[in-house]
Amino acid sequence: FIIRVMSNLLYYYGMCDMVKDCLLQRYFGKRVRGGSAVPESDIMQACRSFLDQRQSMNIWRFIQTINQRHDLTESLKQLQCRTLIFVGENSQFHTEAVHMTAKLDKRYSALVEVQACGSVVTEEQPHAMLIPMEYFLMGYGLFRPSHVSSSPRSPLNPFCISPELLSPESMGVKLKPIKTRANLRV
């Protein structure tokens, strides 16, 4: 419903403050958006400036494509590549992320819910992505930490990862060694 309202506002009135607020609220959490007691973050100011510089018809076309997307649910059942999905707990897309993860093969996918975060996890809390990504890459054999210090019950713990995830060849991925000058301590 909000997408249709934004689409109509953009089409008839161009890029107004209400459309900007709706777009920014859609992607960013409360902490980044700021409020009466908390000032707006730098990224919010940059996004507002960016939206001011764009032609409203291009943003309208973008919103139209969002509105006309087809359902991918059936295709998700056939997806066999490893998938790591990050979603903020305050994201408007949280339910969709949980739904998508439920449709994916559990052996090849994981959902990471980031607390106190909106939709753009990479901007709001990039540090929250580090440990899950390390475990995900460990499943490929691409990352070897000096020590493992996590809960053995964590679904992202390398010892709880399905054996199928540990072999890149099992998914048809051929990895070539990368030559570096750094010495690795094992």
Side-chain angles (χ1 to χ4, degrees):
F1 175 73
I2 292 293
I3 296 291
R4 288 194 179 114
V5 170
M6 280 194 300
S7 178
N8 287 336
L9 283 171
L10 268 170
Y11 187 79
Y12 291 109
Y13 299 106
M15 182 55 71
C16 59
D17 286 338
M18 185 175 176
V19 172
K20 280 187 237 176
D21 289 339
C22 287
L23 282 169
L24 295 173
Q25 188 173 20
R26 180 176 173 84
Y27 293 106
F28 294 100
K30 291 177 187 175
R31 202 178 86 209
V32 174
R33 286 194 321 260
S36 58
V38 179
E40 196 173 67
S41 69
D42 292 342
I43 188 144
M44 288 300 290
Q45 292 172 3
C47 285
R48 280 189 191 282
S49 171
F50 181 77
L51 288 172
D52 285 335
Q53 297 169 7
R54 298 293 161 244
Q55 294 180 3
S56 57
M57 283 308 288
N58 289 341
I59 296 172
W60 178 79
R61 287 183 187 112
F62 170 72
I63 290 175
Q64 287 297 103
T65 59
I66 291 173
N67 201 26
Q68 296 170 356
R69 287 186 302 209
H70 64 279
D71 188 11
L72 297 174
T73 305
E74 292 303 314
S75 302
L76 290 175
K77 294 175 183 174
Q78 300 165 0
L79 189 64
Q80 294 181 356
C81 67
R82 292 172 183 89
T83 308
L84 184 60
I85 299 173
F86 287 93
V87 66
E89 72 174 346
N90 300 325
S91 171
Q92 291 187 0
F93 308 107
H94 188 271
T95 11
E96 288 87 350
V98 171
H99 172 74
M100 285 177 58
T101 306
K103 299 297 179 187
L104 290 167
D105 190 338
K106 303 269 186 270
R107 297 175 297 163
Y108 304 119
S109 65
L111 174 67
V112 178
E113 296 175 270
V114 181
Q115 294 180 346
C117 189
S119 299
V120 189
V121 178
T122 55
E123 292 294 329
E124 292 185 55
Q125 293 198 26
H127 58 278
M129 299 174 68
L130 291 176
I131 292 173
M133 286 180 75
E134 287 175 357
Y135 286 139
F136 189 73
L137 293 172
M138 281 172 52
Y140 282 105
L142 298 174
F143 179 78
R144 293 185 190 157
S146 56
H147 65 287
V148 177
S149 61
S150 67
S151 167
R153 287 178 257 185
S154 168
L156 292 174
N157 184 304
F159 303 110
C160 295
I161 295 176
S162 173
E164 291 86 14
L165 282 175
L166 299 176
S167 167
E169 292 80 19
S170 68
M171 293 300 294
V173 176
K174 295 180 182 177
L175 300 174
K176 295 181 180 178
I178 299 172
K179 295 180 182 178
T180 63
R181 293 182 186 179
N183 293 326
L184 297 176
R185 294 179 192 161
V186 180

